[in-house]
Amino acid sequence: MENVKPETKTLTVFMFTTFIVLMLILNPTFMVLTSYASPTVKTEKSVYGEGEALSVSGTATPNIDVTIQLFDPLGRRKAIAQAEVSKEGLWGKASIYTFTREDLSGRWIVKVYDTVLEEWAETSFMVDVTPPTIKVFLEPEKKVYGNETITIVVSSNEKLSSVTMTVVPAKTTPQKLFISKINQTKWIGICKIKPEFEGKTTIKIQAKDEVGNLVKTEKSFMVDVTPPKVVITEIPAKTEDATITVKGTVSEPVPEVEILVPGLPPVKAKVDKEKLTWKTEVTLKTTGHNVVKAYVKDEAGNIGEDLKVVYYVGPLETIKTEIETLKESIKKDITSVKESVNMLGTLLIIAVILSIIAAAFSVTAVITIVRRIVLK
């Protein structure tokens, strides 16, 4: 180096500097190699649900195209795309994949490859395309509901963001129910049964989890707000026998009809479900008027009633009645005797008068005869 002239050194430095400047001007990639780190990639969200599209962005070597690849939890590639990197080293790609119900839920990975740096960058995110599992039950739990208020309870295996309930009656338009959130996995709705709900009524339910996965289900039940009609068809109006037979009909195939009499325990009459008739015996204990009630309640709690009055003439009452009858008979006999005596007295008086009249006529006749004899 000692033999190198100063002019030569200066020329060499100048040429090297010029080469570097030209490289920076003509090949920006050369500059990137000295100023950019490894590529990066990120997602817009940490969790994606059904129907949502994946968009990604990041940094890489300026003015190149990066390759983007998407892998599911089993490592299967689900999408591949390219994105152009700006001169500032930024890139982005929208909607490279839309998640469906058929995709796997779990941790997914998106990767990006920088062809200049020959490096991969990756990031992971969660996919949840599994709808929540919900259970629906009614309180109280019954086969048939009447005029009452029921509570619809929805419980889920995961947190829910929203729940809607719509009641679809048999004879009127659908109506949305008032919803209350008990906690993140339990919601309730209140439904007041109305007459127009008669028949089959359905509650339609929609629930979304925090990601937006939607589940739909429904719960149906029967509504009966019409009271059953029970009629007492045969019963004595008056009886001297304490045990009476009561017969009747009912409009619904209920298991039994109760016969209620004040002071007596209920008597149950089994219903013939084909003929819808019933029959039983009741033993009365109270003389006089007895109110006999036929009472029936159907599955929905609707009540039907019919009333009849039976007059029970007990043993003492029978004796009293016979005595009263005898008294009336004696009174009639005495009256008859009195009338007969009165009539007899009248006849005797008439007979006496007639006798007197007859005697008078006889005396007159004798006098007349005597006068004729004397004159002769």
Side-chain angles (χ1 to χ4, degrees):
M1 294 294 294
E2 295 176 355
N3 298 325
V4 178
K5 296 182 179 180
E7 294 84 1
T8 303
K9 289 182 178 181
T10 302
L11 179 61
T12 301
V13 171
F14 174 77
M15 293 178 63
F16 182 77
T17 303
T18 302
F19 173 79
I20 295 298
V21 171
L22 288 174
M23 287 296 295
L24 292 174
I25 294 174
L26 299 177
N27 190 359
T29 303
F30 181 80
M31 179 178 65
V32 172
L33 289 173
T34 61
S35 60
Y36 281 87
S38 299
T40 61
V41 58
K42 64 179 181 179
T43 59
E44 291 182 327
K45 300 174 60 177
S46 60
V47 182
Y48 288 83
E50 179 186 2
E52 293 188 301
L54 175 66
S55 297
V56 292
S57 60
T59 61
T61 301
N63 301 316
I64 67 168
D65 289 338
V66 291
T67 300
I68 307 161
Q69 296 188 36
L70 176 65
F71 299 89
D72 69 9
L74 295 181
R76 297 175 299 186
R77 188 170 68 186
K78 304 294 290 185
I80 185 169
Q82 286 189 323
E84 183 178 344
V85 184
S86 68
K87 63 181 180 180
E88 290 82 13
L90 304 176
W91 64 271
K93 189 70 174 179
S95 303
I96 66 172
Y97 189 78
T98 300
F99 300 101
T100 67
R101 181 73 62 87
E102 287 71 32
D103 288 321
L104 292 177
S105 294
R107 187 173 298 278
W108 287 54
I109 295 176
V110 60
K111 297 182 178 181
V112 61
Y113 182 68
D114 189 317
T115 56
V116 174
L117 298 178
E118 296 184 349
E119 291 186 16
W120 286 93
E122 67 178 51
T123 188
S124 63
F125 58 94
M126 295 301 296
V127 171
D128 179 6
V129 292
T130 303
T133 300
I134 63 174
K135 294 181 180 179
V136 180
F137 55 95
L138 308 179
E139 293 180 351
E141 194 76 33
K142 298 169 62 178
K143 290 183 179 179
V144 184
Y145 293 86
N147 288 302
E148 56 191 299
T149 298
I150 61 175
T151 301
I152 301 95
V153 181
V154 175
S155 61
S156 172
N157 64 331
E158 60 178 291
K159 296 177 181 179
L160 300 177
S161 62
S162 66
V163 175
T164 61
M165 299 183 193
T166 303
V167 58
V168 184
K171 300 178 181 179
T172 186
T173 56
Q175 306 169 27
K176 284 197 172 182
L177 299 181
F178 175 76
I179 304 296
S180 296
K181 178 180 177 181
I182 304 303
N183 53 50
Q184 292 180 314
T185 60
K186 185 176 181 181
W187 301 60
I188 64 170
I190 304 298
C191 179
K192 177 69 173 70
I193 300 296
K194 301 177 181 179
E196 57 265 29
F197 288 12
E198 181 88 20
K200 183 180 179 181
T201 295
T202 301
I203 304 291
K204 292 188 175 182
I205 299 143
Q206 294 186 0
K208 285 185 179 181
D209 61 17
E210 292 185 317
V211 182
N213 296 308
L214 177 66
V215 62
K216 298 180 180 180
T217 189
E218 58 185 44
K219 185 83 169 179
S220 296
F221 53 90
M222 295 302 297
V223 173
D224 178 10
V225 293
T226 303
K229 185 178 181 180
V230 61
V231 178
I232 298 174
T233 57
E234 291 185 33
I235 189 171
K238 185 176 182 180
T239 179
E240 295 180 0
D241 190 350
T243 301
I244 61 173
T245 299
V246 185
K247 298 180 181 180
T249 61
V250 67
S251 61
E252 298 180 19
V254 294
E256 60 190 20
V257 173
E258 284 191 348
I259 306 302
L260 306 175
V261 179
L264 297 179
V267 177
K268 295 182 179 180
K270 187 176 180 180
V271 173
D272 185 328
K273 294 187 177 181
E274 292 183 359
K275 298 179 180 179
L276 297 180
T277 58
W278 51 271
K279 174 183 176 182
T280 190
E281 290 186 343
V282 178
T283 300
L284 304 174
K285 291 185 177 180
T286 304
T287 57
H289 293 91
N290 288 266
V291 177
V292 179
K293 177 191 291 186
Y295 174 92
V296 65
K297 180 187 286 188
D298 62 18
E299 276 190 297
N302 302 302
I303 295 173
E305 295 179 343
D306 190 23
L307 300 176
K308 290 290 187 293
V309 177
V310 178
Y311 189 85
Y312 172 39
V313 181
L316 293 177
E317 189 71 19
T318 302
I319 294 173
K320 290 179 180 179
T321 302
E322 291 177 352
I323 291 174
E324 291 298 326
T325 303
L326 182 58
K327 285 181 178 179
E328 291 297 324
S329 178
I330 292 173
K331 285 181 180 180
K332 289 181 180 179
D333 291 342
I334 291 173
T335 301
S336 178
V337 169
K338 286 181 177 180
E339 290 177 352
S340 298
V341 169
N342 291 335
M343 184 176 292
L344 181 59
T346 302
L347 290 174
L348 287 173
I349 292 170
I350 294 172
V352 170
I353 293 172
L354 290 175
S355 297
I356 293 171
I357 293 172
F361 277 112
S362 297
V363 171
T364 303
V366 170
I367 292 171
T368 302
I369 292 171
V370 171
R371 281 180 177 180
R372 285 178 180 180
I373 293 173
V374 172
L375 292 175
K376 289 179 179 183

